[in-house]
């Protein structure tokens, strides 16, 4: 099908459901999927303050990390513009590091969809030669999430 017919916004993420409904935006899709399987404990229950904290992290990852790294894929930007983008992005890495220095995951309650999202977009740093060892807490986070059996299975399936 024509992707623009599914998602007129013209970019991913978009999830078309069996009934034809389409959910767009990564944070909304992640929450939708987590709510389908509440027993997996990937998101706090709707209506709780913890859910608000999750939404804060999802929005931060979406706008500041995903958005920042996304600009670096644009080959039309000159190197000096990419330097400025990285400077802003690296300030956001400090915020993440401060949280991850005190706990294993973004949410104090454990691994959540926000961590899955962050792990995914931080993998893009490799494409741009950004060494996460500059932020040891981020490097440890990536290594920790990378060892999760479900992550190993997903990455293996991705490369099949």
């Amino acid at each position: 099908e024509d992707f623009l017919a599914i998602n007129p916004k013209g970019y991913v993420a978009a999830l078309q459901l069996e009934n034809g409904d389409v959910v767009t935006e990564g944070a909304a899709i992640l929450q939708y999927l987590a709510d389908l399987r509440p027993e997996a404990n990937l998101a706090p229950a709707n209506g709780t303050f913890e859910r608000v904290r999750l939404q804060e992290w999802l929005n931060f990852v979406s706008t500041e990390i995903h958005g920042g790294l996304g600009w670096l894929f644009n080959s039309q930007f000159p190197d000096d513009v990419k330097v400025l983008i990285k400077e802003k992005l690296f300030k956001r890495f400090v915020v993440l590091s401060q949280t991850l220095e005190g706990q294993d995951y973004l949410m104090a309650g454990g691994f959540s969809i926000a961590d899955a999202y962050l792990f995914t977009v931080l993998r893009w740093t490799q494409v741009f030669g950004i060494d996460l060892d500059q932020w040891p807490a981020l490097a440890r986070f990536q290594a920790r999430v990378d060892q999760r059996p479900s992550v190993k299975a997903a990455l293996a399936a991705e490369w099949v």
Side-chain angles (χ1 to χ4, degrees):
E1 282 185 63
D2 176 14
F3 184 70
L4 291 175
I6 296 169
N7 182 9
K9 294 175 183 174
Y11 59 83
V12 292
L15 175 65
Q16 186 170 31
L17 307 179
E18 289 181 10
N19 68 2
D21 285 344
V22 176
V23 181
T24 64
E25 305 303 327
I29 292 169
L30 287 167
Q31 289 177 87
Y32 173 78
L33 293 173
D35 289 341
L36 288 176
R37 299 284 185 272
E39 67 278 4
N41 295 315
L42 294 174
N46 275 314
T48 64
F49 188 72
E50 291 80 17
R51 184 63 168 243
V52 173
R53 289 288 181 228
L54 174 70
Q55 291 167 341
E56 284 179 331
W57 279 120
L58 287 170
N59 282 289
F60 182 81
V61 172
S62 179
T63 60
E64 302 302 321
I65 309 304
H66 185 164
L69 286 165
W71 285 113
L72 296 176
F73 282 105
N74 189 329
S75 61
Q76 295 178 356
F77 286 161
D79 288 342
D80 58 334
V81 171
K82 290 183 179 184
V83 167
L84 295 173
I85 292 169
K86 286 180 182 180
E87 286 176 5
K88 181 179 177 185
L89 184 62
F90 294 170
K91 290 177 184 177
R92 303 318 186 246
F93 285 3
V94 170
V95 172
L96 292 169
S97 292
Q98 289 170 342
T99 296
L100 294 170
E101 286 168 1
Q103 58 196 44
D104 287 344
Y105 300 107
L106 294 174
M107 300 284 292
F111 184 81
S112 72
I113 54 175
D115 300 299
Y117 190 13
L118 179 60
F119 173 80
T120 300
V121 295
L122 282 181
R123 287 174 48 84
W124 299 349
T125 59
Q126 300 166 19
V127 174
F128 305 113
I130 299 169
D131 185 359
L132 289 180
D133 287 340
Q134 298 174 72
W135 304 273
L138 289 183
R140 287 191 304 272
F141 168 82
Q142 286 297 95
R144 184 180 311 111
V145 175
D146 191 55
Q147 293 306 306
R148 295 178 65 85
S150 58
V151 171
K152 286 183 175 210
L155 291 174
E158 181 178 302
W159 297 109
V160 170

